[in-house]
Amino acid sequence: VQGRARTPHSKAGRSPPPRRGTRELFQAYRESAWLRAVESRIANECASAVKLRLYNGPEDDDQREPVTREEPAYELMRLLRRPVRVASGQIMTARQRNKILALWYGLVGEAFLVKQRGPSGRVTGLVPLSPLWVRGTPTPSQRYYTVQVGDEPEKQIATGDMIPIVDLDAENPYG
């Protein structure tokens, strides 16, 4: 697979579908014992070894303090640690979510999280979304992600409801 980041959009104003080779890499992961052993081990380490801490202020501020549980910003930590219910109805633990995100990122250089909202509109969870399902990314003329899961109709997801985790193209990091 050449270049890891998607090109931003075509001349028609629509971003490209998943990069060529994404499906084949996922199939190779499923079928190749060596690839599975290596990527699974890395993903397991990422999922279990990462200890998250949230701080107020920029990284270079020696006086910054960790965010406390009472502060509104701590809600992000709760979301990252909270299990989520996925479309199939299954519960996905935070560790499982972190592992699959690490696998997707390790194999194809990108992964996505969709904000799950409750009836009041408040974010209640972060659901992982396969790079295979993201059919289009925002462009100047299209300010949303286009997602298609299996045979379901395409859906549009607002840019504010999607968190992309993308490895930038080293040759052209600005798109």
Side-chain angles (χ1 to χ4, degrees):
V1 177
Q2 291 183 336
R4 297 186 78 162
R6 293 180 192 217
T7 54
H9 53 83
S10 67
K11 290 181 181 177
R14 183 167 170 113
S15 62
R19 284 189 304 268
R20 274 190 323 201
T22 299
R23 185 174 307 282
E24 290 80 7
L25 280 168
F26 289 170
Q27 288 171 345
Y29 173 80
R30 186 177 57 241
E31 297 167 3
S32 168
W34 283 103
L35 180 60
R36 186 175 185 90
V38 170
E39 286 295 330
S40 184
R41 175 148 186 170
I42 293 168
N44 272 322
E45 291 296 320
C46 289
S48 59
V50 175
K51 303 294 183 218
L52 299 173
R53 296 190 90 180
L54 186 62
Y55 290 90
N56 284 319
E59 281 186 51
D60 59 355
D61 181 359
D62 294 337
Q63 305 300 316
R64 69 185 182 146
E65 299 279 328
V67 173
T68 63
R69 293 177 189 268
E70 295 76 33
E71 294 179 61
Y74 197 80
E75 185 59 25
L76 176 61
M77 293 297 287
R78 287 187 187 91
L79 287 172
L80 291 170
R81 292 176 175 159
R82 183 177 297 149
V84 293
R85 185 173 301 278
V86 294
S88 65
Q90 293 178 304
I91 300 293
M92 182 179 282
T93 67
R95 187 180 187 292
Q96 289 171 321
R97 178 185 52 229
N98 294 343
K99 180 180 178 182
I100 196 67
L101 289 171
L103 275 172
W104 290 334
Y105 187 79
L107 288 169
V108 297
E110 63 185 2
F112 299 87
L113 286 168
V114 176
K115 295 177 184 175
Q116 192 176 54
R117 295 186 181 273
S120 67
R122 186 169 165 247
V123 178
T124 58
L126 300 171
V127 179
L129 194 65
S130 170
L132 282 175
W133 299 336
V134 178
R135 310 301 302 165
T137 55
T139 66
S141 63
Q142 172 186 301
R143 305 304 302 162
Y144 51 84
Y145 289 84
T146 304
V147 173
Q148 184 176 23
V149 178
D151 294 332
E152 294 180 17
E154 283 188 350
K155 295 179 183 175
Q156 296 175 353
I157 298 178
T159 56
D161 281 344
M162 182 82 85
I163 301 170
I165 305 166
V166 180
D167 190 13
L168 297 178
D169 181 348
E171 187 177 359
N172 185 9
Y174 306 114

